[in-house]
Amino acid sequence: MTSTITTGRAVARPMAAPLLTIGVEEEFLLLDPATGTNLPVAEQVRAALPESVRMRSRREMRRSMIGMVTGVCTDMRDVRAQVAANRRFAADVAETAGARLVALGATPMAEPDVGVPSGQRYQDLAERYGPVAHDPAACGLHVHIGVPDREIAVQVCNHLQVWLPVIRALTANSPLFLGTDTGHASWRSVQLLRWPSMGPTPYFASARDYGRTVADLISSQMVLDEASIHWYARLSPTAPTVEIRVGDVCTDVDDTVLVTALVRAAVTTAMNDVRAGLPALRPRDCLLAGAHWRAARYGLSGDLIDLRLGRARPAWDMVDEFFATVSPALLDSGDLELVLNGLNRMRDGGDGAARQRAILRETGDIRAVLAALAAWTRTA
């Protein structure tokens, strides 16, 4: 796409349904400011957070990672305020522990400590999955959207399949790994495929079909429990939400808000299609895997696979069509202008991977990239 995104096919509907609720979880790295090496100080950082903020923090698989979550929101201004506050508090406290909080999808330099945190669940994961459970840290963005029931949630996941590679490309933010440029826009996406429970969401005929499959995966000992299943879109094990887990953590607050607004609009659009009786497309598994691989490889800088047509197309053509598809939902939610501005800003500046590479080309120094990322992370 060579021109600024316009409103495309956006049309107003006569009566808008209530807005779907939103929750956002972001995972961050804690890095040594001098070397860029991962620092295992997550527990120290969490303990030093104000109690009200600590309640919004989460332990992660690596001691060099910390997760931060928002409360339940309906307005994107509230999402933005909470995401910005979470980042600011965590960044401030990280500094007191001698670390930088950085929104980056994969370990950029080194992970000296790959032991799992204390706790039976982490020990069980390490025993079950062996070396995979000790891979260097990888950080994602998880967007939780409230849905009426599990039956609709399953069908929504089916309908989202064709657009999730576009979300992956928009969030691509991990070109660096262990001191080198991997050539991938999202190395995190490649790294996590070592986990047997990771990958595109299978097609399910019903909530019963979904539940039976989850039970089979647990009884076969492929996964510990439902929470260990990390499909790119899944039903929450504990709440009436659809979780979109495909993206890298975004460089800055604006990118997180942009992606969150698009995800809610995509879920809303899928729900409308389900209620209208429109069937979900069922791309072949190999093509679906290829679409995600290509999104991870090139981000927004190359072609993506159009799963509706089965061929590669320019990434920004796919973004434009995704936007046009969900624009009625964006119009209803009041998020249309926010998304327009965000997509045009990203088109001019590139995805997170492109922004990192621009600094790396200019300076030749990964540490300069990490310093910029740390600044972007906390910029509201």
Side-chain angles (χ1 to χ4, degrees):
M1 188 177 68
T2 58
S3 60
T4 299
I5 297 174
T6 64
T7 54
R9 298 192 296 269
V11 294
R13 286 179 289 185
M15 293 190 64
L19 295 178
L20 301 181
T21 59
I22 305 164
V24 176
E25 178 180 359
E26 296 184 293
E27 298 167 341
F28 301 101
L29 288 176
L30 295 161
L31 303 182
D32 185 308
T35 66
T37 298
N38 295 14
L39 290 179
V41 295
E43 287 305 308
Q44 181 179 343
V45 171
R46 290 189 66 220
L49 289 169
E51 182 178 358
S52 61
V53 181
R54 187 165 60 250
M55 293 174 62
R56 302 200 300 268
S57 70
R58 298 290 184 270
R59 299 179 81 192
E60 300 294 343
M61 193 68 181
R62 292 277 77 81
R63 295 187 179 99
S64 60
M65 293 173 61
I66 185 171
M68 301 297 297
V69 302
T70 69
V72 178
C73 308
T74 56
D75 189 293
M76 293 309 304
R77 290 169 296 187
D78 192 17
V79 171
R80 192 183 199 286
Q82 292 195 37
V83 167
N86 284 347
R87 288 178 172 224
R88 184 174 62 252
F89 276 114
D92 287 346
V93 172
E95 287 183 4
T96 68
R100 278 177 174 161
L101 186 83
V102 180
L104 183 61
T107 294
M109 296 297 288
E111 177 88 83
D113 179 353
V114 292
V116 299
S118 60
Q120 190 60 51
R121 177 175 176 77
Y122 292 112
Q123 299 303 317
D124 290 344
L125 286 168
E127 181 179 353
R128 178 71 57 88
Y129 297 112
V132 175
H134 299 279
D135 278 349
C139 297
L141 166 67
H142 305 158
V143 181
H144 305 242
I145 305 297
V147 292
D149 57 61
R150 289 176 70 85
E151 201 65 56
I152 289 178
V154 165
Q155 300 306 323
V156 163
C157 290
N158 290 339
H159 280 262
L160 290 177
Q161 288 282 35
V162 297
W163 296 119
L164 290 183
V166 179
I167 294 293
R168 184 184 293 284
L170 286 165
T171 60
N173 188 37
S174 51
L176 308 175
F177 184 66
L178 300 183
T180 189
D181 186 337
T182 64
H184 285 70
S186 174
W187 185 251
R188 166 186 166 274
S189 301
V190 178
Q191 180 183 347
L192 290 181
L193 286 176
R194 285 162 53 88
W195 289 85
S197 59
M198 189 72 64
T201 313
Y203 179 92
F204 293 106
S206 64
R208 182 181 179 184
D209 185 21
Y210 184 100
R212 184 167 51 240
T213 301
V214 169
D216 288 346
L217 291 173
I218 295 170
S219 64
S220 69
Q221 299 187 7
M222 178 179 171
V223 299
L224 292 179
D225 49 32
E226 188 171 356
S228 303
I229 296 173
H230 300 305
W231 293 322
Y232 299 150
R234 73 173 191 183
L235 278 60
S236 168
T238 59
T241 64
V242 168
E243 300 178 8
I244 308 305
R245 309 170 59 87
V246 71
D248 292 354
V249 65
C250 294
T251 55
D252 55 44
V253 173
D254 287 333
D255 283 359
T256 296
V257 173
L258 165 65
V259 171
T260 300
L262 282 167
V263 166
R264 178 169 66 174
V267 172
T268 301
T269 301
M271 283 179 52
N272 292 336
D273 288 346
V274 170
R275 287 166 172 163
L278 299 177
L281 294 178
R282 296 184 62 176
R284 290 183 180 273
D285 291 345
C286 55
L287 192 62
L288 187 58
H292 281 283
W293 177 87
R294 194 167 187 93
R297 177 70 170 85
Y298 298 106
L300 297 175
S301 300
D303 291 345
L304 300 177
I305 294 177
D306 188 334
L307 289 166
R308 302 162 303 174
L309 303 176
R311 61 181 176 85
R313 299 179 59 202
W316 277 101
D317 284 0
M318 293 297 298
V319 172
D320 197 18
E321 290 195 20
F322 177 42
F323 168 77
T325 299
V326 303
S327 58
L330 291 170
L331 194 62
D332 284 349
S333 66
D335 297 331
L336 185 64
E337 184 176 359
L338 178 153
V339 170
L340 277 170
N341 292 339
L343 288 176
N344 286 325
R345 177 178 58 86
M346 188 174 287
R347 185 174 65 86
D348 291 338
D351 53 38
R355 293 169 69 186
Q356 292 179 55
R357 285 176 171 140
I359 296 173
L360 190 58
R361 284 194 302 270
E362 181 180 346
T363 66
D365 187 352
I366 288 181
R367 290 173 298 179
V369 177
L370 301 181
L373 279 163
W376 293 338
T377 299
R378 67 184 304 158
T379 301

